[in-house]
Every structure is written in C-alpha cells, then in structure tokens.
Amino acid sequence: MAASRRLCDICETREFTVFATHWCPECEQSLCESCKSHHSAFKSSKTHETISSESFDKLPPSVKEIRNDCCEHEARFEYYCSKHEVPCCVECMKTTHAECRLLTPMHKVVEHFKTSNVLPDFEQTISDLISNLNSLIKGRFDNILILTDEKEKCLQDIEDTKRNAIAHLDKLEINLKTEIKVLHGQHLQAINETIKEFELLKTNLAKIKEEAEVTKEYASDFQLFIAFRELESTVKNIETDTHLLIKKESAKQISISFSPTIVHSIETLIPSLGNVNMIAKESDIKLVNHRGRRAQLLSVETPCIDKIQIKMVCKNIELARGNETDRVIYDSCFLSGGRLAFLDKLNKCLNVFNDNGEHVKDLQLPFLPKAIAVISESETAISGCACNKIIIIDIFSHVADLHDHSFVMDGNICALSFRKERFLILVNDIGFFITDIEGNVINEIPYSHTDILCAVLLDDKIYLSNWRENKIVCCDLKGIDILEFRDKELKAPVGITCSDIGVLFITGFKSKNIYAMSSTGKELKQLYSNSKLSRARAISYNSCNQQLLVSTEDGKVFLFDVSLY
C-alpha cells in the first residue's frame, strides 16, 4: 500500500485523504478498506472483482490505460465487432459499425476467457517463439563459425589456384621455347643446304665462263659456233635450276616471332582466378509450434457447413441486353452503398445496379473485361481477356481508360482476386503472383495446371476451381497441390469466393447449383440448385452484410442472405 501511495477515489471526492488498498477494474476506481467493504455490499458492484493496489501497480502501463467506456461517445462498451476486432458501444453500432453483422455481446466475449484455451495457447505461443528465437540465434552463431572456416578454405583455394596457374604458365613457357628452338634448327639446316646448292650452281657457271673465254680466243669459227650452242644450253639449265631453287621455302626470307594468344594483357585473358559465391538456403532448424491453431482475441469458429442456409433476397432479376449485343457477364461483385457491379465482356463495360435490380449506370472499359476485384469503397481492379494489364479505376467516374492507375504482368492473366491488401493473380503458363496494391510482387508461385478461371487466397493457401476436371484444388504457397475436393453433383465449378471464417462458396457452371465448402474440405454441401443457374459463373460474398451474389453468363442475377450458424 505504501509503495503505490494511491488515494481512495471515493474518499477523495468526500475530501478525505485515505490511501487506497484495492482497485476495481469495472468501476475504474481506487478503494480503501472501508470503501471496499461498501463496494462489495452494493447491489450494482457486489459482483465486481477487485485487485490489490500492489497488483494493480504491477500491470503494464498499456493495460492500465484500457477503459471500459467509449472515448468518443462516453458510453459503456456493450459489444465486440469481430470484423474490425474492436469493442463498440451502442452509439458505435449505429454509426461506424452500422453494416457489421458479426457483433457479439461483450459479456459473452469476456466470460470464461481466463479459463479458456486462448490464454494457455497464447502463453504457449510466447514459449514457442522464445524457443524458436533461441534456436535461430544459435543457428546464426553457428553460421558465423562456419563462415570463418569457409573463409580460410577459400583463401587457401585462391593461393592453390594461383600456384596452379603459375605452374601452367611455366609449362607453356617451356613448350614455346622448345618449339622455337626446334623451328630455328629446322630452318637453319634447310637454309644451309640451299646455300650449298646455290654455291654448286655458281661453281658450274664460273667453269662455263672460263671455258667460253678460252674457246672464244683460240677456237676456229666453226668450233666456236658449235661449242657456244652447247654452252648456251648448259647455262639455260643452270638458270632453270636457279629459278626452281628460288621457289623453295628455304630460299625465301624466313623469320620467326612470338605472338601471344593474350591479345591485350594477362588481365584481359584471366580477369579473375575464380568467383566468390554466396549461397543462401533455408535453415534446417525445425521451429517449435505446439499450438493447435492460431489464438485470437475473439475466436470465431468456422461454422458447420451443414448449418449454413441461404435465402433469396431478390427474385427474377435479369440484366437487360447491351446496346449492340447480348450481355456476357464474366464477373460480379458488391460495391459500397448496397450496389452491385457486373462485368459485361462483349459490351466492354462495368454495369452498376442497386440490390433491387434498379440500373444505376454503365462504365465503359477500354478492353474486353474478365475479372473484377474490389479494393476500397471507391476503387476496383479489372483485368482483361487475353491481356497482361490490370487497371485500377474509380467507380464514380464515367469512363475508364488505360490512363488510370495500372500495372502489367509477364503474361496473360487468367484469374484475379483481392483480399487483405493483397492481389492474387494467375498468369497463364507461369503461375500465381501475390502482389501489393501497386503491383509489386511479394511472392511468385510456379503453377502449370490449366483450365483455371478463379482462385482465392485464404490462410496461406490458394483455392482454385478446375472446371474441366470438376474439382476444387487447394495448393500451398510453393505451388504444391495439397488437397482436391469433388462431389458428384458439382459439375464444372467456375466461380469461387470465400469468407474470413474459412467458408468457400462455389458455382457449378454445368450443374446449375451453388456449393459451400469448409477450408479443410471435410464438409461440402449444396446450398441451392435451380435450372436458371445454367452457366453460373460469377460469385461474390459480402462479409459485412452476409450476402451472396451469383450471376450467370447470360445476365441472370441471384442475391441471397446467408445464415452461417
């Protein structure tokens, strides 16, 4: 008590100075021993559980600041909104949470909370995280030791590589010098032999010259004539032999030189002794997770699929034909203010209607639209047929064009959805891309299966409809198929949407029906069947209003209220 030095709030209002010994979280007041006894006797507060002042002082400041009343309306928190995960008063229900359906009385939320599995689960989560962090920290220190060893090994390998390179260069030097010496010897020998042949011809020619001079001086005219003819023939033979000898390689000007194969320098040929590589791979540390599933402040259980019911809100709604051709509705969605939007492929427009079927306006599009995803109350994202572009448009504008905010993918877009500030985009022949609202890729997931028109991301899993094989497929964020779901009454599933509590809704394009399925795939139920649902393609779920919107390609519209429990 002396440690807190907190005064009793009730005594203080009566201008008495008495130290408090207890705190009432419900009344948000400090109490002395006397006031506590009265507090426990009053009808309005006798059920309140008080704590000692020392215990109150041990609470974190953030917990001490939690109030039971709404700071905006100064009214008691009476309900908890699961959609926004905040408490709300009666006035909040009329304003901020007017369209929220998942509102639970606060007393039901907090009763038995301390004895529920949520707190042990939360404590186990902290324990697991601490254990995981210890393992990860140890793994990082181990990695430092490994890096040190690998650094020394790399330095030694570099020295060995240098020595091997020098040894190889020494060997090349010896081979080249030997080759030059052999080449020099061969040509030297050939040139010397050629010189000898030239000398012999020279000797023979000198002898002929001498004979010609003697014959000219002492022989008769007849003898000179006959001898000259013979000498002339011999000289011609020597001339012929000389020309033949000149054509030999050994008679030509021979030189030897060294031309390095390294054109510029050793740096050009060998820019590096090797490459230093860094490889990052997933740690083999196994993280601890003893929790059955993620604990939440207000745990909203996945409803039993068998208990889900849908009730038609509007009957016989059918979109009118377009200006030039029949409508072909590829996708639809809920807009703010109770409006509905439909993508008309052939007429290249976005049709906006009220939920009673009253036409509001048409928004012209620059291409044949295929899929639509709601981003905010005023913005939607639209992809086109055989197109790699996604445009984000203002639904309050009158015309949409490519000058609006847009981004492109690396191939034609097959499917598009948007949940929790993330796009899920399926690109033909490549796979799934998870991007932010600007189109920046967060995760790329290879996936090669075809015949997929719709896909949604739910709890780190992708659910997609394979219409040709009459099945719903669930894959992980590595693109590996985990589960497949089929039902004999579900033919050519095309449209697929989901709620935040693990329920998927599916349209049967050929079976003319609507299915509900749990995210685990253990429960699958046909909710509605009607011959007018022929070619049912688009389906959208509104969590706030708990409504389901279904449309067929030829423009028939079905709006349902959904009862989940």
Side-chain angles (χ1 to χ4, degrees):
M1 179 179 69
S4 69
R5 309 300 297 176
R6 184 184 301 276
L7 296 178
C8 173
D9 291 328
I10 296 176
C11 291
E12 192 172 15
T13 59
R14 299 165 57 201
E15 299 182 353
F16 294 132
T17 303
V18 182
F19 287 115
T21 59
H22 290 79
W23 170 264
C24 177
E26 291 288 327
C27 299
E28 297 178 353
Q29 285 184 320
S30 297
L31 305 171
C32 65
E33 287 290 351
S34 176
C35 291
K36 178 182 177 297
S37 63
H38 292 293
H39 177 273
S40 302
F42 290 148
K43 183 177 181 180
S44 60
S45 59
K46 66 179 181 179
T47 59
H48 294 184
E49 294 184 6
T50 61
I51 60 174
S52 67
S53 296
E54 289 84 354
S55 298
F56 176 77
D57 289 334
K58 293 178 181 178
L59 291 175
S62 58
V63 176
K64 292 180 182 179
E65 293 174 0
I66 295 175
R67 297 292 177 259
N68 297 317
D69 297 335
C70 173
C71 60
E72 182 178 356
H73 302 112
E74 297 184 356
R76 195 76 165 180
F77 288 128
E78 300 289 349
Y79 289 89
Y80 185 84
C81 176
S82 300
K83 179 177 183 295
H84 298 96
E85 297 184 346
V86 293
C88 56
C89 66
V90 175
E91 291 300 320
C92 290
M93 293 174 58
K94 298 177 182 178
T95 55
T96 309
H97 303 275
E99 296 185 359
C100 298
R101 294 294 184 92
L102 297 178
L103 295 171
T104 308
M106 184 59 72
H107 69 89
K108 288 189 176 181
V109 174
V110 301
E111 68 178 351
H112 309 306
F113 191 77
K114 284 188 176 181
T115 59
S116 69
N117 292 327
V118 175
L119 294 181
D121 193 20
F122 177 72
E123 292 168 355
Q124 185 63 57
T125 299
I126 295 176
S127 177
D128 290 346
L129 284 174
I130 292 174
S131 176
N132 290 337
L133 289 170
N134 287 335
S135 298
L136 292 170
I137 291 170
K138 181 180 180 300
R140 294 304 82 220
F141 279 116
D142 291 343
N143 199 175
I144 290 175
L145 296 177
I146 292 172
L147 283 174
T148 302
D149 293 341
E150 290 177 342
K151 181 199 72 173
E152 296 301 324
K153 183 179 183 300
C154 288
L155 294 176
Q156 185 62 48
D157 289 345
I158 291 171
E159 292 181 4
D160 293 343
T161 302
K162 175 185 173 183
R163 281 196 293 270
N164 292 336
I166 292 174
H168 181 64
L169 290 174
D170 289 341
K171 183 178 179 181
L172 292 178
E173 179 187 11
I174 293 171
N175 291 341
L176 285 172
K177 287 181 177 179
T178 301
E179 183 181 350
I180 288 174
K181 290 177 181 178
V182 170
L183 189 63
H184 175 266
Q186 290 175 345
H187 286 293
L188 184 64
Q189 181 181 356
I191 290 172
N192 286 329
E193 290 176 357
T194 301
I195 289 173
K196 290 179 181 180
E197 292 182 64
F198 279 133
E199 292 287 351
L200 179 61
L201 291 175
K202 178 182 175 183
T203 300
N204 292 337
L205 199 57
K207 183 177 179 181
I208 292 171
K209 180 181 179 183
E210 183 181 351
E211 289 178 356
E213 289 176 352
V214 172
T215 301
K216 177 182 177 182
E217 184 175 355
Y218 300 109
S220 65
D221 291 342
F222 177 74
Q223 289 175 325
L224 178 62
F225 176 77
I226 297 301
F228 178 77
R229 295 297 181 188
E230 291 179 359
L231 291 174
E232 186 179 33
S233 175
T234 303
V235 169
K236 286 184 178 180
N237 290 336
I238 291 175
E239 184 179 12
T240 300
D241 291 342
T242 300
H243 284 293
L244 290 174
L245 190 59
I246 289 172
K247 292 181 179 179
K248 292 178 63 176
E249 185 181 59
S250 57
K252 297 178 181 179
Q253 185 64 31
I254 297 173
S255 63
I256 57 176
S257 63
F258 170 65
S259 299
T261 55
I262 305 172
V263 180
H264 298 294
S265 64
I266 191 69
E267 290 84 359
T268 303
L269 181 66
I270 309 176
S272 172
L273 290 177
N275 297 317
V276 177
N277 302 313
M278 189 283 293
I279 301 175
K281 64 178 183 178
E282 294 293 334
S283 172
D284 57 1
I285 296 174
K286 302 299 182 182
L287 299 182
V288 178
N289 183 5
H290 292 109
R291 294 176 299 161
R293 64 188 181 92
R294 190 177 185 176
Q296 299 177 346
L297 181 59
L298 178 61
S299 180
V300 180
E301 299 289 342
T302 300
C304 175
I305 299 300
D306 191 53
K307 293 182 179 180
I308 295 178
Q309 301 291 331
I310 60 175
K311 180 181 179 181
M312 184 82 72
V313 176
C314 294
K315 297 182 179 180
N316 301 322
I317 300 178
E318 188 165 350
L319 305 180
R321 294 179 56 180
N323 296 328
E324 299 179 1
T325 181
D326 289 344
R327 295 187 187 274
V328 175
I329 306 301
Y330 262 17
D331 204 358
S332 61
C333 66
F334 288 94
L335 300 177
S336 61
R339 292 171 299 167
L340 313 174
F342 303 89
L343 281 184
D344 186 346
K345 173 192 172 185
L346 295 185
N347 290 289
K348 295 200 296 187
C349 66
L350 175 65
N351 310 131
V352 181
F353 290 80
N354 287 327
D355 56 8
N356 60 2
E358 178 185 358
H359 178 260
V360 177
K361 68 173 181 178
D362 293 334
L363 182 62
Q364 293 301 313
L365 301 171
F367 49 58
L368 299 175
K370 184 175 185 179
I372 184 171
V374 177
I375 299 175
S376 66
E377 291 187 356
S378 61
E379 289 184 320
T380 58
I382 300 176
S383 65
C385 297
C387 176
N388 69 339
K389 185 181 290 290
I390 293 174
I391 62 171
I392 297 176
I393 64 171
D394 183 350
I395 59 175
F396 295 111
S397 63
H398 297 288
V399 178
D401 57 33
L402 297 181
H403 296 293
D404 289 328
H405 173 64
S406 63
F407 59 89
V408 297
M409 305 303 294
D410 291 332
N412 290 339
I413 298 168
C414 302
L416 169 70
S417 61
F418 184 83
R419 289 188 74 247
K420 297 186 177 180
E421 305 302 318
R422 294 290 184 267
F423 281 112
L424 177 66
I425 304 167
L426 176 59
V427 177
N428 190 32
D429 296 328
I430 298 179
F432 291 102
F433 292 85
I434 299 176
T435 77
D436 62 16
I437 196 169
E438 301 295 331
N440 301 309
V441 176
I442 299 171
N443 195 4
E444 181 176 348
I445 305 164
Y447 201 79
S448 58
H449 295 271
T450 57
D451 304 323
I452 300 167
L453 298 177
C454 292
V456 293
L457 180 65
L458 177 64
D459 296 334
D460 294 331
K461 294 182 180 63
I462 298 173
Y463 296 83
L464 47 103
S465 55
N466 188 317
W467 64 271
R468 192 181 297 276
E469 297 184 17
N470 301 318
K471 64 182 181 180
I472 303 297
V473 180
C474 174
C475 72
D476 61 18
L477 296 187
K478 294 182 179 179
I480 300 173
D481 289 348
I482 303 172
L483 297 168
E484 291 184 358
F485 317 107
R486 301 174 187 265
D487 190 86
K488 63 180 181 180
E489 299 297 330
L490 180 60
K491 304 296 183 184
V494 174
I496 183 169
T497 187
C498 66
S499 69
D500 292 332
I501 53 177
V503 177
L504 297 145
F505 298 98
I506 306 147
T507 57
F509 190 78
K510 292 183 179 179
S511 53
K512 309 171 188 178
N513 51 11
I514 303 169
Y515 265 74
M517 185 183 78
S518 63
S519 57
T520 62
K522 295 180 179 180
E523 297 179 87
L524 190 64
K525 173 188 176 182
Q526 178 176 274
L527 297 177
Y528 185 80
S529 177
N530 192 313
S531 60
K532 292 184 178 181
L533 274 174
S534 177
R535 304 177 69 83
R537 181 183 181 114
I539 186 167
S540 181
Y541 180 70
N542 187 331
S543 296
C544 293
N545 296 333
Q546 290 185 221
Q547 287 188 326
L548 195 64
L549 174 65
V550 179
S551 58
T552 64
E553 280 193 351
D554 58 356
K556 295 183 181 66
V557 179
F558 300 80
L559 184 62
F560 303 92
D561 278 338
V562 180
S563 175
L564 296 174
Y565 299 97

